[in-house]
Amino acid sequence: MRYPSEHKSAARSRILERGARHAKRHGFRASGMDALAGAAGVTTGAVYKHFDGKSDLFAALIETELGRTERRFGTISPEDPSAIGQAWADYLSLQHVKRPEHGCVLPCLASEVATSGPAARAAFQDGLLRIHAIVERWTGSSERAWTLIAQSVGAVMLARAMRDEQVQQDLLTAVERGVERLLNERGSL
């Protein structure tokens, strides 16, 4: 029996969405294809119908996840300092630290991308450059945009590695204040 094209598209989307959640929580390399397929509620064979292999799946997952972040940030106007401030407050929150499967792919999988193949690295760079362009519009500066992104991603990574919630919060608060200063340099907040 042949499935309609929408079914194939929906299955691929489900594999990427649920596979990404699993990978952001447990690590992509540490997850076998069976675990990624199981997280999506499909068989390993079904994953191979959509992707040539694990590296192809990883590149697609990175592209999809960075696209999700791009769409989220892309809806925020550079002229809306309140929304910009809220976006960074949400990013630098304990909820984001404690629930990686629902958050940004950057603090979860950047280190795995760094040692992956060219397709994943290309998807990562392309997606990150699009996010950078959005943040640059907010800050009015490429340098401030890179600083804001790196500080925020780094803060979430470091906080996730810590065991004491108060120390995590102290770190996040300090970086959030730094973000506010960067945004105020342009007058965004």
Side-chain angles (χ1 to χ4, degrees):
M1 177 173 137
R2 295 187 62 94
Y3 289 106
S5 61
E6 313 81 58
H7 175 79
K8 185 174 182 175
S9 176
R12 179 183 170 88
S13 294
R14 190 172 62 250
I15 292 166
L16 289 170
E17 178 188 336
R18 294 180 185 172
R21 274 194 234 144
H22 181 87
K24 288 188 292 184
R25 167 64 69 192
H26 303 286
F28 188 81
R29 266 200 203 98
S31 302
M33 287 296 270
D34 56 339
L36 293 164
V42 299
T43 65
T44 304
V47 174
Y48 282 107
K49 287 182 181 178
H50 296 278
F51 305 97
D52 290 336
K54 195 171 180 185
S55 63
D56 186 39
L57 172 59
F58 191 44
L61 185 146
I62 293 298
E63 180 180 359
T64 300
E65 284 295 302
L66 289 174
R68 188 172 64 87
T69 301
E70 177 189 1
R71 285 187 301 280
R72 179 175 177 249
F73 286 169
T75 63
I76 300 170
S77 167
E79 307 308 318
D80 189 350
S82 169
I84 293 169
Q86 188 59 56
W88 288 110
D90 291 346
Y91 196 94
L92 293 167
S93 70
L94 278 176
Q95 181 177 4
H96 187 208
V97 168
K98 292 175 185 275
R99 300 181 69 207
E101 68 275 15
H102 296 290
C104 178
V105 71
L106 294 173
C108 300
L109 298 177
S111 63
E112 292 191 47
V113 171
T115 58
S116 67
R121 293 181 77 175
F124 183 86
Q125 180 174 310
D126 293 346
L128 185 55
L129 287 172
R130 288 190 305 274
I131 293 165
H132 172 267
I134 293 166
V135 178
E136 184 176 2
R137 285 192 299 273
W138 294 351
T139 64
S141 160
S142 176
E143 184 177 306
R144 281 193 296 267
W146 282 127
T147 301
L148 192 147
I149 292 167
Q151 285 179 346
S152 299
V153 170
V156 172
M157 289 173 67
L158 291 172
R160 284 185 180 152
M162 295 179 186
R163 62 181 170 81
D164 186 314
E165 190 172 293
Q166 185 58 54
V167 177
Q168 291 173 322
Q169 187 60 63
D170 291 346
L171 168 64
L172 296 170
T173 299
V175 172
E176 188 173 357
R177 287 185 185 136
V179 165
E180 288 172 8
R181 283 190 298 275
L182 282 171
L183 292 170
N184 283 328
E185 287 179 18
R186 178 179 186 246
S188 295
L189 286 179

